[in-house]
Amino acid sequence: MPVLVHAFPTSRVACASRTRDSFCGKMSACNNLTQYGIRYSLTSQHTMDPEGDAFRADLAAFAASAGW
């Protein structure tokens, strides 16, 4: 199954709270996938708004490469 790793942008307010930010979470998730030998693709920006044009372009490219 093809895997696309995406992370939402985190606001400065969220970073100041007790929540973990998605920037670090994405690196951690990719590290785990690598350790288990699971191949994955990344978005063109480390964090991105899923409503944005850049994410839509990345998603379309991913879908095409996955044969969807």
Short mmCIF file of all heavy atoms in Angstrom, two decimals:
data_model
loop_
_atom_site.label_atom_id
_atom_site.label_comp_id
_atom_site.label_asym_id
_atom_site.label_seq_id
_atom_site.Cartn_x
_atom_site.Cartn_y
_atom_site.Cartn_z
N MET A 1 0.85 -1.17 0.00
CA MET A 1 0.00 0.00 0.00
C MET A 1 0.90 1.24 0.00
O MET A 1 1.75 1.37 0.86
CB MET A 1 -0.91 -0.03 1.21
CG MET A 1 -1.49 1.29 1.58
SD MET A 1 -3.23 1.67 1.33
CE MET A 1 -4.08 0.27 0.86
N PRO A 2 0.69 2.14 -0.93
CA PRO A 2 1.48 3.39 -0.95
C PRO A 2 1.19 4.25 0.28
O PRO A 2 0.06 4.31 0.77
CB PRO A 2 1.00 4.09 -2.22
CG PRO A 2 0.37 3.04 -3.05
CD PRO A 2 -0.18 2.02 -2.08
N VAL A 3 2.22 4.91 0.78
CA VAL A 3 2.09 5.74 1.98
C VAL A 3 2.58 7.16 1.66
O VAL A 3 3.70 7.34 1.19
CB VAL A 3 2.93 5.17 3.14
CG1 VAL A 3 2.90 6.09 4.35
CG2 VAL A 3 2.47 3.77 3.50
N LEU A 4 1.73 8.14 1.91
CA LEU A 4 2.10 9.55 1.80
C LEU A 4 2.10 10.12 3.21
O LEU A 4 1.09 10.06 3.91
CB LEU A 4 1.12 10.33 0.92
CG LEU A 4 1.38 11.83 0.82
CD1 LEU A 4 2.72 12.12 0.13
CD2 LEU A 4 0.25 12.53 0.08
N VAL A 5 3.23 10.69 3.62
CA VAL A 5 3.33 11.26 4.97
C VAL A 5 3.12 12.77 4.86
O VAL A 5 3.84 13.46 4.16
CB VAL A 5 4.70 10.95 5.60
CG1 VAL A 5 4.78 11.52 7.01
CG2 VAL A 5 4.95 9.44 5.63
N HIS A 6 2.11 13.24 5.57
CA HIS A 6 1.73 14.65 5.56
C HIS A 6 1.67 15.16 6.98
O HIS A 6 1.33 14.41 7.90
CB HIS A 6 0.35 14.80 4.90
CG HIS A 6 -0.30 16.11 5.18
ND1 HIS A 6 -1.25 16.26 6.18
CD2 HIS A 6 -0.14 17.33 4.63
CE1 HIS A 6 -1.64 17.53 6.20
NE2 HIS A 6 -0.98 18.20 5.28
N ALA A 7 1.98 16.43 7.19
CA ALA A 7 1.86 17.05 8.50
C ALA A 7 1.19 18.41 8.35
O ALA A 7 1.52 19.18 7.44
CB ALA A 7 3.22 17.22 9.16
N PHE A 8 0.24 18.67 9.23
CA PHE A 8 -0.43 19.97 9.24
C PHE A 8 0.51 21.03 9.80
O PHE A 8 1.31 20.74 10.69
CB PHE A 8 -1.67 19.92 10.15
CG PHE A 8 -2.83 19.20 9.56
CD1 PHE A 8 -2.93 17.82 9.66
CD2 PHE A 8 -3.82 19.89 8.90
CE1 PHE A 8 -4.00 17.15 9.12
CE2 PHE A 8 -4.91 19.23 8.36
CZ PHE A 8 -5.01 17.85 8.47
N PRO A 9 0.39 22.27 9.32
CA PRO A 9 1.15 23.34 9.95
C PRO A 9 0.66 23.52 11.39
O PRO A 9 -0.52 23.37 11.67
CB PRO A 9 0.83 24.58 9.12
CG PRO A 9 0.00 24.15 7.98
CD PRO A 9 -0.43 22.73 8.21
N THR A 10 1.57 23.83 12.28
CA THR A 10 1.22 24.03 13.69
C THR A 10 1.36 25.51 14.02
O THR A 10 2.37 26.12 13.71
CB THR A 10 2.15 23.21 14.59
OG1 THR A 10 2.08 21.85 14.20
CG2 THR A 10 1.75 23.32 16.04
N SER A 11 0.36 26.07 14.65
CA SER A 11 0.42 27.47 15.03
C SER A 11 1.37 27.66 16.19
O SER A 11 1.66 26.73 16.94
CB SER A 11 -0.97 27.98 15.42
OG SER A 11 -1.35 27.41 16.65
N ARG A 12 1.86 28.86 16.37
CA ARG A 12 2.76 29.15 17.50
C ARG A 12 2.04 28.94 18.83
O ARG A 12 2.64 28.56 19.81
CB ARG A 12 3.29 30.57 17.40
CG ARG A 12 4.25 30.73 16.26
CD ARG A 12 4.78 32.14 16.21
NE ARG A 12 5.59 32.27 15.02
CZ ARG A 12 6.78 32.81 15.02
NH1 ARG A 12 7.29 33.30 16.13
NH2 ARG A 12 7.49 32.89 13.91
N VAL A 13 0.74 29.19 18.85
CA VAL A 13 -0.03 28.98 20.07
C VAL A 13 -0.01 27.50 20.44
O VAL A 13 0.21 27.13 21.60
CB VAL A 13 -1.48 29.49 19.91
CG1 VAL A 13 -2.32 29.12 21.11
CG2 VAL A 13 -1.48 30.99 19.66
N ALA A 14 -0.22 26.63 19.46
CA ALA A 14 -0.22 25.19 19.73
C ALA A 14 1.16 24.73 20.19
O ALA A 14 1.27 23.86 21.06
CB ALA A 14 -0.65 24.42 18.49
N CYS A 15 2.21 25.29 19.62
CA CYS A 15 3.56 24.90 20.01
C CYS A 15 3.85 25.29 21.45
O CYS A 15 4.63 24.64 22.14
CB CYS A 15 4.60 25.53 19.09
SG CYS A 15 4.64 24.80 17.45
N ALA A 16 3.26 26.38 21.90
CA ALA A 16 3.50 26.85 23.26
C ALA A 16 2.72 26.04 24.28
O ALA A 16 3.04 26.05 25.47
CB ALA A 16 3.13 28.32 23.37
N SER A 17 1.70 25.32 23.82
CA SER A 17 0.91 24.51 24.75
C SER A 17 1.61 23.17 24.97
O SER A 17 2.73 22.95 24.53
CB SER A 17 -0.50 24.30 24.19
OG SER A 17 -0.44 23.41 23.09
N ARG A 18 0.93 22.25 25.63
CA ARG A 18 1.52 20.95 25.92
C ARG A 18 1.41 19.97 24.75
O ARG A 18 1.80 18.81 24.89
CB ARG A 18 0.88 20.35 27.16
CG ARG A 18 1.21 21.13 28.39
CD ARG A 18 0.69 20.40 29.61
NE ARG A 18 1.20 21.06 30.79
CZ ARG A 18 2.17 20.60 31.54
NH1 ARG A 18 2.73 19.47 31.25
NH2 ARG A 18 2.57 21.26 32.60
N THR A 19 0.88 20.40 23.63
CA THR A 19 0.75 19.50 22.48
C THR A 19 2.10 19.37 21.77
O THR A 19 2.93 20.26 21.82
CB THR A 19 -0.29 20.02 21.47
OG1 THR A 19 0.14 21.29 20.98
CG2 THR A 19 -1.66 20.14 22.10
N ARG A 20 2.29 18.28 21.11
CA ARG A 20 3.50 18.09 20.30
C ARG A 20 3.24 18.70 18.93
O ARG A 20 2.13 18.66 18.44
CB ARG A 20 3.79 16.61 20.13
CG ARG A 20 3.92 15.89 21.43
CD ARG A 20 5.35 15.71 21.73
NE ARG A 20 5.47 14.97 22.99
CZ ARG A 20 6.61 14.80 23.58
NH1 ARG A 20 7.69 15.28 23.05
NH2 ARG A 20 6.67 14.14 24.70
N ASP A 21 4.25 19.23 18.30
CA ASP A 21 4.01 19.82 16.99
C ASP A 21 4.18 18.77 15.90
O ASP A 21 4.87 17.76 16.05
CB ASP A 21 4.90 21.04 16.76
CG ASP A 21 6.36 20.72 16.53
OD1 ASP A 21 6.82 19.69 17.04
OD2 ASP A 21 7.03 21.50 15.86
N SER A 22 3.52 19.01 14.79
CA SER A 22 3.52 18.03 13.70
C SER A 22 4.85 17.98 12.98
O SER A 22 5.18 16.97 12.35
CB SER A 22 2.38 18.34 12.73
OG SER A 22 2.52 19.63 12.19
N PHE A 23 5.66 19.04 13.06
CA PHE A 23 6.98 19.04 12.42
C PHE A 23 7.82 17.88 12.97
O PHE A 23 8.34 17.07 12.22
CB PHE A 23 7.67 20.39 12.66
CG PHE A 23 8.94 20.57 11.89
CD1 PHE A 23 8.93 21.22 10.67
CD2 PHE A 23 10.15 20.08 12.37
CE1 PHE A 23 10.10 21.38 9.94
CE2 PHE A 23 11.32 20.24 11.66
CZ PHE A 23 11.30 20.90 10.44
N CYS A 24 7.91 17.81 14.29
CA CYS A 24 8.68 16.73 14.92
C CYS A 24 7.99 15.39 14.76
O CYS A 24 8.64 14.35 14.59
CB CYS A 24 8.90 17.03 16.40
SG CYS A 24 9.97 18.43 16.69
N GLY A 25 6.67 15.40 14.82
CA GLY A 25 5.92 14.16 14.66
C GLY A 25 6.13 13.52 13.30
O GLY A 25 6.22 12.29 13.19
N LYS A 26 6.24 14.33 12.28
CA LYS A 26 6.47 13.79 10.93
C LYS A 26 7.84 13.13 10.86
O LYS A 26 7.98 12.05 10.29
CB LYS A 26 6.34 14.90 9.88
CG LYS A 26 6.45 14.39 8.46
CD LYS A 26 6.16 15.48 7.46
CE LYS A 26 6.25 14.97 6.04
NZ LYS A 26 5.92 16.03 5.06
N MET A 27 8.84 13.76 11.45
CA MET A 27 10.18 13.16 11.45
C MET A 27 10.18 11.84 12.22
O MET A 27 10.78 10.86 11.79
CB MET A 27 11.20 14.12 12.04
CG MET A 27 11.50 15.29 11.13
SD MET A 27 12.85 16.34 11.68
CE MET A 27 12.10 17.17 13.06
N SER A 28 9.47 11.81 13.33
CA SER A 28 9.39 10.59 14.13
C SER A 28 8.68 9.47 13.37
O SER A 28 9.13 8.32 13.36
CB SER A 28 8.67 10.88 15.44
OG SER A 28 8.54 9.72 16.20
N ALA A 29 7.58 9.81 12.73
CA ALA A 29 6.83 8.81 11.96
C ALA A 29 7.68 8.26 10.82
O ALA A 29 7.71 7.04 10.59
CB ALA A 29 5.54 9.42 11.41
N CYS A 30 8.39 9.13 10.13
CA CYS A 30 9.25 8.68 9.02
C CYS A 30 10.38 7.80 9.53
O CYS A 30 10.76 6.82 8.88
CB CYS A 30 9.79 9.87 8.25
SG CYS A 30 8.54 10.75 7.32
N ASN A 31 10.92 8.13 10.70
CA ASN A 31 11.96 7.31 11.30
C ASN A 31 11.43 5.91 11.58
O ASN A 31 12.09 4.91 11.28
CB ASN A 31 12.46 7.96 12.59
CG ASN A 31 13.58 7.18 13.24
OD1 ASN A 31 14.48 6.68 12.57
ND2 ASN A 31 13.52 7.05 14.55
N ASN A 32 10.23 5.82 12.12
CA ASN A 32 9.64 4.51 12.40
C ASN A 32 9.36 3.73 11.11
O ASN A 32 9.62 2.53 11.05
CB ASN A 32 8.36 4.66 13.21
CG ASN A 32 8.63 5.09 14.64
OD1 ASN A 32 9.66 4.77 15.20
ND2 ASN A 32 7.71 5.83 15.21
N LEU A 33 8.84 4.39 10.11
CA LEU A 33 8.58 3.72 8.84
C LEU A 33 9.89 3.17 8.25
O LEU A 33 9.92 2.04 7.74
CB LEU A 33 7.92 4.68 7.85
CG LEU A 33 6.48 5.08 8.18
CD1 LEU A 33 6.03 6.23 7.29
CD2 LEU A 33 5.54 3.89 8.05
N THR A 34 10.94 3.97 8.33
CA THR A 34 12.25 3.54 7.81
C THR A 34 12.75 2.32 8.58
O THR A 34 13.26 1.36 7.98
CB THR A 34 13.27 4.69 7.90
OG1 THR A 34 12.80 5.77 7.09
CG2 THR A 34 14.64 4.26 7.43
N GLN A 35 12.63 2.34 9.90
CA GLN A 35 13.09 1.21 10.71
C GLN A 35 12.38 -0.09 10.36
O GLN A 35 12.96 -1.16 10.42
CB GLN A 35 12.89 1.52 12.20
CG GLN A 35 13.86 2.54 12.74
CD GLN A 35 13.64 2.80 14.22
OE1 GLN A 35 13.28 1.89 14.97
NE2 GLN A 35 13.86 4.03 14.63
N TYR A 36 11.12 0.02 9.96
CA TYR A 36 10.35 -1.16 9.60
C TYR A 36 10.42 -1.48 8.10
O TYR A 36 9.77 -2.40 7.63
CB TYR A 36 8.88 -1.01 10.03
CG TYR A 36 8.72 -1.20 11.51
CD1 TYR A 36 8.67 -0.12 12.38
CD2 TYR A 36 8.63 -2.49 12.06
CE1 TYR A 36 8.52 -0.30 13.74
CE2 TYR A 36 8.49 -2.68 13.42
CZ TYR A 36 8.44 -1.58 14.26
OH TYR A 36 8.31 -1.76 15.61
N GLY A 37 11.22 -0.72 7.38
CA GLY A 37 11.40 -1.00 5.95
C GLY A 37 10.19 -0.65 5.10
O GLY A 37 10.02 -1.19 4.01
N ILE A 38 9.36 0.26 5.59
CA ILE A 38 8.16 0.67 4.84
C ILE A 38 8.51 1.88 4.00
O ILE A 38 8.94 2.91 4.52
CB ILE A 38 7.00 0.98 5.81
CG1 ILE A 38 6.64 -0.27 6.62
CG2 ILE A 38 5.79 1.51 5.05
CD1 ILE A 38 5.68 -0.02 7.76
N ARG A 39 8.34 1.75 2.71
CA ARG A 39 8.62 2.86 1.80
C ARG A 39 7.49 3.87 1.88
O ARG A 39 6.33 3.52 2.04
CB ARG A 39 8.77 2.34 0.38
CG ARG A 39 9.98 1.41 0.25
CD ARG A 39 10.14 0.87 -1.14
NE ARG A 39 10.34 2.00 -2.03
CZ ARG A 39 10.29 1.93 -3.36
NH1 ARG A 39 10.03 0.80 -3.95
NH2 ARG A 39 10.49 2.99 -4.09
N TYR A 40 7.86 5.15 1.74
CA TYR A 40 6.87 6.22 1.84
C TYR A 40 7.29 7.39 0.97
O TYR A 40 8.43 7.49 0.54
CB TYR A 40 6.69 6.67 3.30
CG TYR A 40 7.97 7.13 3.95
CD1 TYR A 40 8.37 8.46 3.89
CD2 TYR A 40 8.81 6.24 4.61
CE1 TYR A 40 9.55 8.89 4.46
CE2 TYR A 40 9.98 6.65 5.20
CZ TYR A 40 10.35 7.98 5.13
OH TYR A 40 11.52 8.40 5.71
N SER A 41 6.34 8.25 0.72
CA SER A 41 6.58 9.49 -0.02
C SER A 41 6.30 10.66 0.91
O SER A 41 5.51 10.55 1.85
CB SER A 41 5.64 9.59 -1.23
OG SER A 41 5.90 8.54 -2.13
N LEU A 42 6.94 11.78 0.63
CA LEU A 42 6.76 12.99 1.42
C LEU A 42 6.13 14.08 0.57
O LEU A 42 6.26 14.09 -0.65
CB LEU A 42 8.12 13.50 1.93
CG LEU A 42 8.87 12.56 2.85
CD1 LEU A 42 10.28 13.08 3.10
CD2 LEU A 42 8.13 12.38 4.16
N THR A 43 5.48 15.02 1.24
CA THR A 43 4.98 16.20 0.54
C THR A 43 6.16 17.13 0.23
O THR A 43 7.23 16.99 0.83
CB THR A 43 3.93 16.92 1.41
OG1 THR A 43 4.49 17.17 2.70
CG2 THR A 43 2.67 16.09 1.55
N SER A 44 5.96 18.05 -0.67
CA SER A 44 7.05 18.94 -1.10
C SER A 44 7.49 19.91 -0.01
O SER A 44 8.62 20.39 -0.03
CB SER A 44 6.65 19.70 -2.37
OG SER A 44 5.49 20.48 -2.12
N GLN A 45 6.60 20.21 0.93
CA GLN A 45 6.93 21.04 2.08
C GLN A 45 6.76 20.18 3.32
O GLN A 45 5.91 19.30 3.36
CB GLN A 45 6.00 22.25 2.15
CG GLN A 45 6.09 23.15 0.95
CD GLN A 45 4.96 24.17 0.93
OE1 GLN A 45 4.40 24.52 1.96
NE2 GLN A 45 4.61 24.63 -0.25
N HIS A 46 7.56 20.45 4.34
CA HIS A 46 7.52 19.57 5.52
C HIS A 46 6.14 19.60 6.19
O HIS A 46 5.61 18.57 6.57
CB HIS A 46 8.61 19.95 6.52
CG HIS A 46 8.79 18.93 7.58
ND1 HIS A 46 9.43 17.72 7.35
CD2 HIS A 46 8.38 18.89 8.87
CE1 HIS A 46 9.41 17.01 8.45
NE2 HIS A 46 8.79 17.69 9.40
N THR A 47 5.56 20.79 6.34
CA THR A 47 4.19 20.91 6.82
C THR A 47 3.42 21.72 5.80
O THR A 47 3.97 22.64 5.19
CB THR A 47 4.09 21.60 8.20
OG1 THR A 47 4.60 22.92 8.10
CG2 THR A 47 4.87 20.82 9.25
N MET A 48 2.17 21.37 5.59
CA MET A 48 1.37 22.11 4.62
C MET A 48 -0.12 22.00 4.92
O MET A 48 -0.59 21.03 5.49
CB MET A 48 1.65 21.70 3.18
CG MET A 48 1.90 20.29 2.90
SD MET A 48 2.49 19.82 1.23
CE MET A 48 2.25 21.17 0.17
N ASP A 49 -0.81 23.05 4.50
CA ASP A 49 -2.26 23.11 4.65
C ASP A 49 -2.91 22.18 3.63
O ASP A 49 -2.67 22.32 2.43
CB ASP A 49 -2.71 24.56 4.42
CG ASP A 49 -4.22 24.75 4.54
OD1 ASP A 49 -4.95 23.77 4.75
OD2 ASP A 49 -4.65 25.91 4.42
N PRO A 50 -3.70 21.21 4.06
CA PRO A 50 -4.31 20.29 3.11
C PRO A 50 -5.35 20.94 2.21
O PRO A 50 -5.79 20.33 1.24
CB PRO A 50 -4.95 19.22 4.00
CG PRO A 50 -5.15 19.89 5.31
CD PRO A 50 -4.05 20.90 5.44
N GLU A 51 -5.73 22.18 2.50
CA GLU A 51 -6.67 22.89 1.64
C GLU A 51 -5.96 23.69 0.56
O GLU A 51 -6.60 24.28 -0.30
CB GLU A 51 -7.53 23.85 2.48
CG GLU A 51 -8.39 23.15 3.52
CD GLU A 51 -9.47 22.27 2.89
OE1 GLU A 51 -9.99 22.62 1.82
OE2 GLU A 51 -9.77 21.22 3.49
N GLY A 52 -4.62 23.72 0.60
CA GLY A 52 -3.86 24.55 -0.33
C GLY A 52 -3.60 23.88 -1.66
O GLY A 52 -3.67 22.65 -1.81
N ASP A 53 -3.28 24.71 -2.64
CA ASP A 53 -3.00 24.22 -4.00
C ASP A 53 -1.75 23.33 -4.03
O ASP A 53 -1.70 22.35 -4.78
CB ASP A 53 -2.83 25.39 -4.96
CG ASP A 53 -4.13 26.14 -5.19
OD1 ASP A 53 -5.22 25.53 -5.02
OD2 ASP A 53 -4.07 27.34 -5.54
N ALA A 54 -0.73 23.68 -3.23
CA ALA A 54 0.51 22.89 -3.22
C ALA A 54 0.24 21.46 -2.74
O ALA A 54 0.76 20.50 -3.31
CB ALA A 54 1.56 23.56 -2.35
N PHE A 55 -0.60 21.32 -1.71
CA PHE A 55 -0.92 19.98 -1.23
C PHE A 55 -1.72 19.21 -2.28
O PHE A 55 -1.48 18.03 -2.51
CB PHE A 55 -1.70 20.03 0.08
CG PHE A 55 -2.07 18.65 0.59
CD1 PHE A 55 -1.11 17.85 1.19
CD2 PHE A 55 -3.34 18.16 0.44
CE1 PHE A 55 -1.43 16.58 1.64
CE2 PHE A 55 -3.67 16.89 0.89
CZ PHE A 55 -2.71 16.10 1.50
N ARG A 56 -2.66 19.88 -2.91
CA ARG A 56 -3.45 19.21 -3.96
C ARG A 56 -2.56 18.71 -5.08
O ARG A 56 -2.76 17.62 -5.61
CB ARG A 56 -4.52 20.16 -4.49
CG ARG A 56 -5.64 20.36 -3.50
CD ARG A 56 -6.81 21.13 -4.13
NE ARG A 56 -7.82 21.36 -3.13
CZ ARG A 56 -8.06 22.53 -2.57
NH1 ARG A 56 -7.38 23.60 -2.94
NH2 ARG A 56 -8.99 22.66 -1.66
N ALA A 57 -1.55 19.51 -5.45
CA ALA A 57 -0.61 19.10 -6.50
C ALA A 57 0.21 17.89 -6.03
O ALA A 57 0.42 16.94 -6.79
CB ALA A 57 0.30 20.25 -6.88
N ASP A 58 0.67 17.93 -4.78
CA ASP A 58 1.42 16.79 -4.24
C ASP A 58 0.56 15.54 -4.21
O ASP A 58 1.01 14.45 -4.54
CB ASP A 58 1.90 17.09 -2.82
CG ASP A 58 3.09 18.02 -2.78
OD1 ASP A 58 3.65 18.36 -3.84
OD2 ASP A 58 3.47 18.42 -1.65
N LEU A 59 -0.68 15.69 -3.80
CA LEU A 59 -1.59 14.55 -3.71
C LEU A 59 -1.86 13.97 -5.10
O LEU A 59 -1.88 12.74 -5.29
CB LEU A 59 -2.90 14.96 -3.03
CG LEU A 59 -3.85 13.84 -2.65
CD1 LEU A 59 -3.17 12.82 -1.74
CD2 LEU A 59 -5.08 14.43 -1.97
N ALA A 60 -2.04 14.82 -6.09
CA ALA A 60 -2.26 14.35 -7.46
C ALA A 60 -1.04 13.60 -7.98
O ALA A 60 -1.17 12.54 -8.61
CB ALA A 60 -2.59 15.53 -8.37
N ALA A 61 0.15 14.12 -7.70
CA ALA A 61 1.39 13.45 -8.14
C ALA A 61 1.55 12.10 -7.43
O ALA A 61 1.94 11.10 -8.05
CB ALA A 61 2.59 14.33 -7.87
N PHE A 62 1.24 12.06 -6.13
CA PHE A 62 1.31 10.83 -5.38
C PHE A 62 0.33 9.79 -5.93
O PHE A 62 0.69 8.63 -6.13
CB PHE A 62 1.04 11.09 -3.90
CG PHE A 62 0.96 9.84 -3.08
CD1 PHE A 62 2.12 9.12 -2.77
CD2 PHE A 62 -0.26 9.38 -2.61
CE1 PHE A 62 2.05 7.96 -2.01
CE2 PHE A 62 -0.33 8.22 -1.85
CZ PHE A 62 0.83 7.50 -1.55
N ALA A 63 -0.89 10.22 -6.17
CA ALA A 63 -1.90 9.31 -6.70
C ALA A 63 -1.48 8.75 -8.06
O ALA A 63 -1.65 7.56 -8.33
CB ALA A 63 -3.25 10.02 -6.81
N ALA A 64 -0.90 9.59 -8.89
CA ALA A 64 -0.45 9.14 -10.20
C ALA A 64 0.69 8.13 -10.07
O ALA A 64 0.72 7.12 -10.77
CB ALA A 64 -0.01 10.33 -11.05
N SER A 65 1.62 8.38 -9.16
CA SER A 65 2.75 7.47 -8.98
C SER A 65 2.30 6.14 -8.35
O SER A 65 2.92 5.11 -8.55
CB SER A 65 3.84 8.11 -8.12
OG SER A 65 3.42 8.22 -6.78
N ALA A 66 1.20 6.20 -7.61
CA ALA A 66 0.68 4.98 -6.97
C ALA A 66 -0.23 4.19 -7.93
O ALA A 66 -0.69 3.12 -7.59
CB ALA A 66 -0.11 5.36 -5.72
N GLY A 67 -0.48 4.77 -9.09
CA GLY A 67 -1.31 4.09 -10.08
C GLY A 67 -2.80 4.25 -9.86
O GLY A 67 -3.59 3.45 -10.33
N TRP A 68 -3.18 5.28 -9.13
CA TRP A 68 -4.61 5.52 -8.86
C TRP A 68 -5.21 6.40 -9.90
O TRP A 68 -4.82 7.28 -10.41
CB TRP A 68 -4.83 6.10 -7.48
CG TRP A 68 -4.43 5.18 -6.37
CD1 TRP A 68 -4.33 3.83 -6.42
CD2 TRP A 68 -4.07 5.55 -5.04
NE1 TRP A 68 -3.93 3.34 -5.20
CE2 TRP A 68 -3.77 4.36 -4.34
CE3 TRP A 68 -3.97 6.74 -4.38
CZ2 TRP A 68 -3.37 4.36 -3.01
CZ3 TRP A 68 -3.58 6.73 -3.06
CH2 TRP A 68 -3.28 5.54 -2.39
#
